[in-house]
Amino acid sequence: MRILAFCAALLAVPSPALAARTIAVLTFGGDDGASARTRIVSALSRRYTVLDGDKILDACDELGIKMSRGRNLARAAQHVGAVAVIGGRAADGRLALAIYSGADGEPIVAKAIPWGSSVRYLRKALSVILVALAKAPKRVGKARTKPKPVPTPLPPDDPKPAVAVKSGKDDPDPISFDPDPVGKSPPKKSNGGGSQSGDPDEDPLSLAPANKIAAKSNNKAGSGDAAAKTDAKVEKKKKDDDRRTRVVGTVGLGTWMRSFALNDPVPGRTHPEYGSGAAFALRVAAEGRPLSFFTSGIPANFYARFRFTTTLGLSSKVADPNQGGAQVALSTSMNEWLLDFGYDFLFGDKETSPDLSIGIGYGGLGFGIDWTNIAPSLPNSAYGFVLITADFRWPFLGWLGLHVHFDYRVVTGSGEIENTDPDRWYGPASAGGIAFGGGLQARLKGFVITLDYTYTRFFYAFTDAANRQAANQRAAGGALDVYNAIVVSGGYSF
């Protein structure tokens, strides 16, 4: 079971074993600090007794100490009976968490993670907190002052005044821990060459570097080694959702070109051809893993994807016999839609690990010229096809990656070019199609920018060419219909 799912389930089920443990949660900083703290406290309160951070500040006032990491924070935590103190800051899509031990006031874990409104971010934060609370002491004793020693009575015949018996040792620190602290940081040297257990001017929410935390954990005996191993497992088994989005939507602009040509084995016979040149194109695309909102694992890797591309303001120049063969511009449309479903295979759990998507779907591509006021000299096309798709993505820099896509198109129909009327076009044909391409994709804080090139090719073999040629009807051996598209898209993912 993955660590995040385990943590979510752990928080959802009450447990008498942990119900008595008390933790304190300080006020979170940052623009999103208040909402982040509310969500985290709501989840933790199902398992722990959660104290407001003001209790720690009040304890500092009662003890006459400053709020600082180390001994002072430990004394305040023990005064209110908190086994751990949690601080944080949420802003700009990041949540910085620091969980301090109620035994020594030093950070158990300090970590910055992505943050947002989705429940997956809350699960990630809870996993970090629960790993830290597993290392916190089971309970801590409140601070208590050592009672004064009772004077030893003198013998009756001794006229000396009563004096206290000294043990020869200084009184220990009045702060006691029950049980012993999980582990303390090495004392810091003061300017005078002595030592102190905490810097009174240090911000208790300052995050220690991750390597220092790991080193401190490795220096602990027994439970410290186990905690370090737990941290390593958590990092190694990060959920795929931490780097893969559930939904992404983009809108793009670019250029789209079409060329169409027929071939004939009979020398000297000519057929109409078409070349659109570079046309302005608009593309809208959306992709998502719907089941990832409700579950994880294999079901969460099934995807659905939709893409639509169309030209804007395209026109075609053709010769008008009604005007002595003069070239006239006719309104032209060219559009394509694709819908496919499949499974996304992830190779590795690193931010730079590649993935391969394989799917099946259906699509259509249409090209048409408005022949309303002129006799048609070129057949319009209206392809319908079954898609078999494969997409490979490799985020080699994490935020920047390349993608390659390929699909084979089983054509179910191509429109009026296959018109069986003896006087119209070229009759039935066996047709198929392929499309492939690739490009680059950049992701930054949810925003997505994609550069994509696609080459699409439909090919025909007319099945009745010999009979039509013998009957002196319009005939051709085959045809090629080729499309090239370059599109730059931008959008958002979550």
Side-chain angles (χ1 to χ4, degrees):
M1 181 180 295
R2 296 182 177 181
I3 185 67
L4 297 185
F6 172 77
C7 294
L10 186 64
L11 287 174
V13 181
S15 170
L18 293 179
R21 299 182 74 191
T22 299
I23 60 175
V25 182
L26 303 176
T27 300
F28 281 19
D31 296 337
D32 302 322
S35 61
R37 182 186 182 278
T38 298
R39 295 173 64 192
I40 290 173
V41 167
S42 176
L44 291 176
S45 61
R46 303 172 190 172
R47 297 286 295 174
Y48 299 91
T49 300
V50 181
L51 300 180
D52 191 83
D54 289 342
K55 298 292 184 180
I56 298 294
L57 300 177
D58 293 342
C60 290
D61 292 339
E62 293 176 14
L63 296 172
I65 58 177
K66 292 182 179 180
M67 176 66 165
S68 63
R69 192 181 81 180
R71 181 178 178 182
N72 285 357
L73 182 59
R75 292 179 63 188
Q78 294 157 35
H79 191 77
V80 298
V83 299
V85 179
I86 302 173
R89 175 181 176 82
D92 300 325
R94 303 289 292 176
L95 172 62
L97 287 170
I99 299 91
Y100 301 89
S101 169
D104 58 11
E106 295 296 334
I108 303 172
V109 169
K111 188 172 185 179
I113 59 175
W115 181 253
S117 58
S118 173
V119 69
R120 70 185 177 102
Y121 297 109
L122 177 60
R123 290 174 180 168
K124 178 64 176 177
L126 292 176
S127 73
V128 173
I129 294 172
L130 288 179
V131 168
L133 293 181
K135 307 174 193 177
K138 300 301 180 185
R139 57 192 180 94
V140 293
K142 292 187 178 181
R144 60 178 182 270
T145 303
K146 183 177 181 180
K148 296 181 179 180
V150 179
T152 304
L154 295 174
D157 57 347
D158 189 347
K160 295 181 180 180
V163 294
V165 177
K166 295 185 70 176
S167 64
K169 298 181 180 180
D170 294 335
D171 287 344
D173 192 313
I175 304 302
S176 63
F177 304 93
D178 187 15
D180 291 337
V182 173
K184 295 188 178 181
S185 300
K188 300 177 182 178
K189 292 185 178 181
S190 65
N191 294 335
S195 65
Q196 57 185 17
S197 60
D199 184 354
D201 296 326
E202 187 174 6
D203 182 0
L205 294 184
S206 62
L207 300 180
N211 58 343
K212 291 185 179 180
I213 295 174
K216 184 178 72 173
S217 178
N218 290 336
N219 288 335
K220 297 177 184 178
S223 61
D225 293 336
K229 292 179 181 178
T230 301
D231 280 345
K233 290 181 179 179
V234 171
E235 290 299 322
K236 186 176 181 181
K237 296 182 179 180
K238 287 168 53 178
K239 285 191 67 176
D240 296 345
D241 288 343
D242 290 342
R243 73 173 187 83
R244 289 195 300 165
T245 58
R246 287 185 169 91
V247 176
V248 57
T250 58
V251 177
L253 296 174
T255 184
W256 200 12
M257 297 169 283
R258 184 208 189 203
S259 64
F260 176 82
L262 293 133
N263 60 74
D264 196 323
V266 179
R269 179 176 294 186
T270 60
H271 300 282
E273 296 184 350
Y274 180 83
S276 69
F280 194 53
L282 169 69
R283 176 176 293 172
V284 178
E287 181 177 355
R289 296 182 292 122
L291 296 180
S292 65
F293 288 95
F294 311 103
T295 185
S296 60
I298 292 178
N301 292 335
F302 286 96
Y303 75 86
R305 176 172 53 188
F306 176 78
R307 288 156 291 174
F308 175 76
T309 307
T310 187
T311 51
L312 303 175
L314 177 63
S315 62
S316 300
K317 290 185 178 181
V318 297
D320 185 0
N322 299 325
Q323 300 184 33
Q327 296 287 317
V328 296
L330 299 181
S331 176
T332 305
S333 64
M334 190 161 61
N335 53 73
E336 177 186 57
W337 65 271
L338 307 169
L339 175 65
D340 62 293
F341 305 87
Y343 189 82
D344 190 13
F345 299 89
L346 184 65
F347 302 101
D349 55 5
K350 296 181 180 179
E351 188 180 7
T352 56
S353 297
D355 63 281
L356 174 67
S357 300
I358 297 178
I360 188 170
Y362 194 80
L365 191 155
F367 173 86
I369 297 176
D370 184 4
W371 301 104
T372 303
N373 299 317
I374 187 173
S377 58
L378 183 77
N380 293 334
S381 60
Y383 299 102
F385 43 84
V386 175
L387 283 169
I388 301 174
T389 69
D391 291 82
F392 177 79
R393 289 175 286 263
W394 178 32
F396 54 87
L397 293 181
W399 64 274
L400 178 66
L402 61 84
H403 62 272
V404 179
H405 56 85
F406 172 83
D407 64 67
Y408 182 79
R409 306 182 175 195
V410 182
V411 176
T412 58
S414 55
E416 68 179 16
I417 193 172
E418 296 186 60
N419 194 307
T420 57
D421 188 323
D423 299 322
R424 295 290 302 276
W425 309 128
Y426 302 95
S430 173
I434 58 171
F436 61 87
L440 296 173
Q441 184 178 78
R443 294 175 182 265
L444 184 62
K445 292 185 177 181
F447 292 97
V448 179
I449 300 177
T450 301
L451 170 64
D452 184 76
Y453 165 75
T454 303
Y455 173 87
T456 304
R457 179 188 184 103
F458 291 94
F459 39 85
Y460 295 83
F462 294 101
T463 57
D464 198 29
N467 293 333
R468 294 176 67 90
Q469 182 178 343
N472 200 26
Q473 298 171 354
R474 185 175 295 188
L480 289 177
D481 197 0
V482 177
Y483 301 79
N484 290 273
I486 301 176
V487 179
V488 177
S489 302
Y492 192 77
S493 63
F494 61 90

